[in-house]
Amino acid sequence: AAGVIQSPRHLIKEKRETATLKCYPIPRHDTVYWYQQGPGQDPQFLISFYEKMQSDKGSIPDRFSAQQFSDYHSELNMSSLELGDSALYFCASSLGGTSGSLYEQYFGPGTRLTVT
Amino acid sequence: GNSVTQMEGPVTLSEEAFLTINCTYTATGYPSLFWYVQYPGEGLQLLLKATKADDKGSNKGFEATYRKETTSFHLEKGSVQVSDSAVYFCALRNQAGTALIFGKGTTLSVSS
């Protein structure tokens, strides 16, 4: 079965640079979620989109922005990168990601971002 | 606010031992509860879930029961294998939101 695709899988950037992470959800899934997992930490929710509209927002820094496109893929844009942004960034997808949705989230393999 | 508390690891067991990883939660209303597993270098995989009180989620020999009276969702397995070595995350999703809220994770190491 098709899974969530994330690209790139690994990314190395320098401080103050920008990065763009991409997420391709499972076919027919209309909801995308972004999570950040620091070294040895639990995943922290950043933001989600349902039908191309932002549906929920977590601890996403103002330096980050994201959007969902008409084909339902999503991009996370990160600017003015800091050392503390080094983490594993997961994308997840589901059906019908409105409040109270019972649909489960399927996670991609993650993009490992290293900021030097 | 909503939160998940897991027992700290690492948990080190011999093959065929019994496993329990404790998880308790704080949430408003009636959240859905999940266990995710993360193998080294990989993403998160849903292991099992329960959406209402007294539900039992089960998969691959793992079980967890949604206990509203004790706000718990402990993970159990009767006989662990070396291949079960991974990090296990308890998580909740409340009715008002869409995001998963994770515990800190528990590392399980099983030796033969």
Side-chain angles (χ1 to χ4, degrees):
Chain A
V4 176
I5 297 172
Q6 292 188 244
S7 69
R9 293 292 309 276
H10 301 273
L11 189 59
I12 300 174
K13 291 286 186 178
E14 295 187 355
K15 282 195 308 183
R16 294 180 288 279
E17 286 191 320
T18 61
T20 297
L21 309 185
K22 297 185 178 182
C23 170
Y24 297 88
I26 292 171
R28 294 189 301 280
H29 281 192
D30 51 20
T31 307
V32 169
Y33 312 78
W34 287 97
Y35 293 84
Q36 177 192 57
Q37 184 180 28
Q41 301 298 311
D42 55 301
Q44 295 288 319
F45 172 68
L46 294 178
I47 196 167
S48 64
F49 292 87
Y50 168 62
E51 284 289 348
K52 302 178 283 291
M53 299 289 290
Q54 181 180 309
S55 56
D56 201 357
K57 189 174 181 180
S59 52
I60 184 169
D62 292 340
R63 299 177 290 107
F64 294 5
S65 65
Q67 58 182 323
Q68 185 180 33
F69 295 86
S70 57
D71 63 352
Y72 295 108
H73 93 273
S74 178
E75 295 183 5
L76 177 65
N77 299 293
M78 310 159 71
S79 62
S80 303
L81 287 169
E82 302 174 356
L83 295 179
D85 296 328
S86 295
L88 195 53
Y89 290 83
F90 287 111
C91 173
S93 75
S94 76
L95 289 166
T98 53
S99 295
S101 167
L102 296 180
Y103 292 110
E104 66 182 76
Q105 298 178 22
Y106 292 84
F107 282 76
T111 293
R112 184 168 297 282
L113 172 67
T114 303
V115 181
T116 62
Chain B
N2 302 311
S3 66
V4 175
T5 303
Q6 286 179 240
M7 62 185 286
E8 290 189 20
V11 174
T12 304
L13 295 173
S14 298
E15 208 165 22
E16 299 182 4
F18 184 84
L19 168 71
T20 299
I21 300 178
N22 290 337
C23 170
T24 57
Y25 67 90
T26 301
T28 54
Y30 301 91
S32 296
L33 301 174
F34 307 83
W35 276 101
Y36 280 83
V37 59
Q38 186 175 32
Y39 297 101
E42 298 185 12
L44 294 160
Q45 299 176 27
L46 178 65
L47 183 58
L48 53 84
K49 66 178 180 181
T51 57
K52 60 183 187 297
D54 299 325
D55 264 3
K56 176 185 282 189
S58 61
N59 185 28
K60 299 180 181 179
F62 291 89
E63 292 183 341
T65 302
Y66 189 143
R67 301 286 189 200
K68 188 162 178 61
E69 64 276 14
T70 55
T71 62
S72 65
F73 193 55
H74 305 320
L75 183 68
E76 296 182 335
K77 186 175 185 181
S79 177
V80 295
Q81 305 300 312
V82 172
S83 57
D84 293 327
S85 298
V87 181
Y88 292 81
F89 290 95
C90 185
L92 70 81
R93 186 181 66 220
N94 66 28
Q95 294 172 301
T98 62
L100 288 167
I101 297 166
F102 290 89
K104 296 296 182 186
T106 302
T107 300
L108 171 65
S109 178
V110 181
S111 58
S112 58

